[in-house]
Amino acid sequence: NAGVMQNPRHLVRRRGQEARLRCSPMKGHSHVYWYRQLPEEGLKFMVYLQKENIIDESGMPKERFSAEFPKEGPSILRIQQVVRGDSAAYFCASSGGAGSVYEQYFGPGTRLTVT
Amino acid sequence: GENVEQHPSTLSVQEGDSAVIKCTYSDSASNYFPWYKQELGKRPQLIIDIRSNVGEKKDQRIAVTLNKTAKHFSLHITETQPEDSAVYFCAARDYKLTFGKGTLLTVNP
């Protein structure tokens, strides 16, 4: 039973480039959440998606950031024109399915470094 | 929106002692309170959770208590072991998780 998968695990981008982060939820889960973690800080909510729908994007910066969860394939968090302040660990979590919509299980994260 | 405060930020105990981490939340609509353990460079792992209709829940050496009136909940770890050393995060949920800033627990052998 595969858990939440994220790739890549590490991503290095130069300022101004695009970063594309992927998340495959646990089998049977239909809810995906993205969180950002800065060094030695807690996790900050960014966006909550269900298949083909953005439910809540209140934690996501209005510019340069976008997220999707298509009918087929992984959820994508896209950061355009990255800046040094975007360097962080990005975690996705999933919930739902036969268990509970409450319990969120996290992927291993993508560590983004902007040089 | 929801605001979660977590204390202490660091906690050092001797192996075999108990550890207690406390959190408060602000939004009375929050109805689910999980605790996550995160080791350095790893993903947060759900270790225990409690829903708002329950006052206490226990799983082996770990217990969580919830006081809805006072809007606070606590994590209790008994008989601590060195492998319990990690950062622990509390969270509160209406439908999305709001996390506390974490507690670095160090268990000294």
Side-chain angles (χ1 to χ4, degrees):
Chain A
N1 182 18
V4 180
M5 310 285 282
Q6 286 187 252
N7 68 80
R9 296 290 305 276
H10 300 274
L11 183 60
V12 180
R13 285 286 178 264
R14 291 199 184 106
R15 279 179 295 169
Q17 291 185 319
E18 179 179 289
R20 199 172 279 233
L21 289 61
R22 295 175 193 77
C23 169
S24 295
M26 283 179 73
K27 189 176 180 181
H29 283 187
S30 57
H31 303 253
V32 167
Y33 311 79
W34 285 91
Y35 295 87
R36 178 163 62 178
Q37 186 174 38
L38 293 169
E40 298 183 9
E41 288 198 15
L43 294 122
K44 301 287 187 190
F45 168 80
M46 297 181 74
V47 61
Y48 165 35
L49 309 106
Q50 295 180 24
K51 284 283 187 182
E52 300 184 277
N53 283 306
I54 297 175
I55 308 301
D56 182 350
E57 56 183 350
S58 60
M60 203 151 67
K62 294 282 185 281
E63 297 179 357
R64 303 189 298 109
F65 285 72
S66 62
E68 62 176 4
F69 188 16
K71 189 176 180 181
E72 301 291 337
S75 175
I76 307 284
L77 178 67
R78 187 177 172 212
I79 311 172
Q80 296 178 292
Q81 299 174 350
V82 296
V83 301
R84 287 229 173 98
D86 296 333
S87 295
Y90 292 83
F91 289 94
C92 81
S94 72
S95 70
S100 165
V101 71
Y102 289 89
E103 289 130 6
Q104 294 186 22
Y105 295 93
F106 280 79
T110 294
R111 278 148 187 85
L112 172 65
T113 302
V114 179
T115 62
Chain B
E2 177 63 276
N3 182 48
V4 177
E5 300 282 341
Q6 182 172 347
H7 299 280
S9 56
T10 60
L11 179 59
S12 181
V13 300
Q14 288 300 121
E15 183 176 358
D17 286 352
S18 295
V20 180
I21 303 170
K22 298 182 179 182
C23 290
T24 60
Y25 63 99
S26 61
D27 189 349
S28 55
S30 289
N31 57 7
Y32 171 70
F33 306 91
W35 286 87
Y36 287 85
K37 175 184 180 182
Q38 187 178 30
E39 296 174 358
L40 189 62
K42 302 280 183 69
R43 75 184 77 192
Q45 287 190 296
L46 179 64
I47 56 171
I48 196 168
D49 56 15
I50 192 167
R51 299 196 189 181
S52 58
N53 58 350
V54 175
E56 184 174 356
K57 183 177 177 181
K58 191 172 181 181
D59 183 3
Q60 299 184 333
R61 295 186 298 108
I62 295 174
V64 58
T65 58
L66 171 65
N67 183 327
K68 280 172 54 181
T69 304
K71 296 202 189 87
H72 64 71
F73 56 113
S74 301
L75 177 72
H76 304 252
I77 306 174
T78 58
E79 300 171 20
T80 54
Q81 300 166 3
E83 50 266 39
D84 294 330
S85 297
V87 178
Y88 291 80
F89 292 99
C90 65
R93 180 194 192 276
D94 46 11
Y95 63 91
K96 64 189 180 194
L97 289 176
T98 300
F99 284 86
K101 291 194 173 182
T103 297
L104 174 60
L105 174 64
T106 303
V107 180
N108 301 300

